Amino acid sequence: MAPLRFSANVSWLFPELPGLPERLHAAGRAGFEAAEVAWPYAEPPQALASAARAAGLRLVLINTPRGDHEKGEMGLGAVPGRQAAFREGLEQAVLYAKALGCPRIHLMAGRVPQGANRAVVKGDMETVFVENLRHAAGVLAQENLVGLLEPINTRLTDPQYFLDTPQQAAAILQKVGRPNLQLQMDIFHWQIMDGNLTGNIREFLPIVGHVQVAQVPDRGEPGSSGELDFTYLFQLLEDEGYQGFVGCEYRPRGDTVEGLSWLRSYWDRWGHPRTGQ
């Protein structure tokens, strides 16, 4: 059994700092060895790569572009009529991933179009998503990259998001049938949509390529008060042999570094060599 490896999601952590390079530096000083960024596209890729190297960090995950933010888009993978824009965004994501040495890209499904009935458009959206995912798998395979599908809860976070349960995502992955596409497990979303975390983790972990964590329902640190017992969940991931990264995608309730006491305790238990400077 090996310790879990954690990555700092610098789109969420260190919000007191103005930009991604500064947040990457702070993550390195806090003891992280890896980081992830939701949308890195406002920064030149080489500048981010340089900042990550200077901080002693590996970048392990980015998202595809969200689309037209002013029109409320949050990814394009399953959105009818936006196939060309999804593929353009994929090319941009691959360019960044290569420059950053980042092996994984979250292929964002997107939202049910405004005014549409989810039940009515679900079949068409799934068809578009499967087509786009097959295309993406081929593009990513040429660069030895992995694509990830993340269900996002539709109860609290994003009522219009198309992909909202691990069961739905796993069924789509099975239809696509490409080995370099995997499941992204955000425990925050899975708990809100379905609960049954022990059963779902054991069932789906063989196809999981990345994990993210936050407390429920307030999306705070794993050490904060809430529904989830992360001591148990981390032990479960260890026992099940999970070897990927665990992304810290949560909203710090105060100072980010002070709020990392839960992680320092975990590292201390394993004799982690980098427990913050």
Side-chain angles (χ1 to χ4, degrees):
M1 184 169 25
L4 300 175
R5 300 181 297 166
F6 291 87
S7 57
N9 190 312
V10 293
S11 297
W12 288 75
L13 303 188
F14 310 101
E16 66 277 6
L17 298 176
L20 293 177
E22 295 88 349
R23 294 183 184 193
L24 289 167
H25 179 71
R29 285 183 56 83
F32 285 98
E33 297 177 4
E36 54 196 68
V37 182
W39 297 289
Y41 305 108
E43 301 274 357
Q46 296 301 337
L48 279 182
S50 177
R53 283 194 300 270
L57 295 170
R58 302 169 56 185
L59 280 161
V60 298
L61 177 68
I62 61 173
N63 295 352
T64 48
R66 61 180 125 194
D68 190 332
H69 187 54
E70 291 186 359
K71 293 183 178 178
E73 291 183 326
M74 185 58 72
L76 301 171
V79 181
R82 296 289 276 152
Q83 289 93 323
F86 170 79
R87 295 180 184 199
E88 289 173 11
L90 176 67
E91 296 294 338
Q92 184 182 23
V94 168
L95 184 152
Y96 268 75
K98 290 170 61 179
L100 298 171
C102 177
R104 297 168 200 85
I105 299 174
H106 168 204
L107 306 171
M108 300 196 70
R111 291 171 170 155
V112 174
Q114 289 186 352
N117 182 299
R118 177 184 292 271
V120 172
V121 300
K122 182 177 180 180
D124 288 343
M125 292 190 71
E126 182 173 302
T127 297
V128 169
F129 202 21
V130 167
E131 283 181 11
N132 278 335
L133 290 174
R134 285 180 177 149
H135 169 80
V139 171
L140 296 175
Q142 293 176 14
E143 306 295 343
N144 199 29
L145 298 172
V146 171
L148 299 173
L149 275 62
E150 180 189 17
I152 294 175
N153 84 80
T154 49
R155 289 181 172 160
L156 291 180
T157 300
D158 195 337
Q160 292 300 109
Y161 204 75
F162 171 69
L163 192 71
D164 64 355
T165 69
Q167 292 82 3
Q168 181 191 11
I172 288 172
L173 284 172
Q174 188 171 27
K175 281 188 176 181
V176 176
R178 298 293 190 273
N180 65 328
L181 299 185
Q182 299 176 335
L183 186 58
Q184 182 170 321
M185 176 174 70
D186 189 322
I187 288 176
F188 172 80
H189 296 305
W190 287 30
Q191 168 68 4
I192 290 170
M193 288 304 295
D194 195 48
N196 187 32
L197 288 178
T198 300
N200 283 335
I201 288 171
R202 286 177 173 157
E203 179 180 356
F204 295 112
L205 199 61
I207 60 170
V208 167
H210 192 74
V211 172
Q212 292 174 325
V213 294
Q215 186 56 273
V216 176
D218 295 331
R219 210 163 189 176
E221 299 91 340
S224 62
S225 177
E227 297 178 14
L228 300 180
D229 178 355
F230 278 98
T231 300
Y232 170 81
L233 291 170
F234 292 156
Q235 185 68 56
L236 178 63
L237 289 172
E238 292 170 14
D239 292 345
E240 294 296 313
Y242 177 65
Q243 297 181 354
F245 283 92
V246 177
C248 300
E249 187 181 90
Y250 58 78
R251 188 177 297 109
R253 296 180 306 160
D255 179 80
T256 299
V257 175
E258 290 181 7
L260 287 170
S261 58
W262 65 273
L263 183 52
R264 288 190 290 271
S265 295
Y266 182 89
W267 283 340
D268 287 344
R269 181 164 68 84
W270 281 97
H272 192 282
R274 293 178 66 180
T275 54
Q277 305 296 323

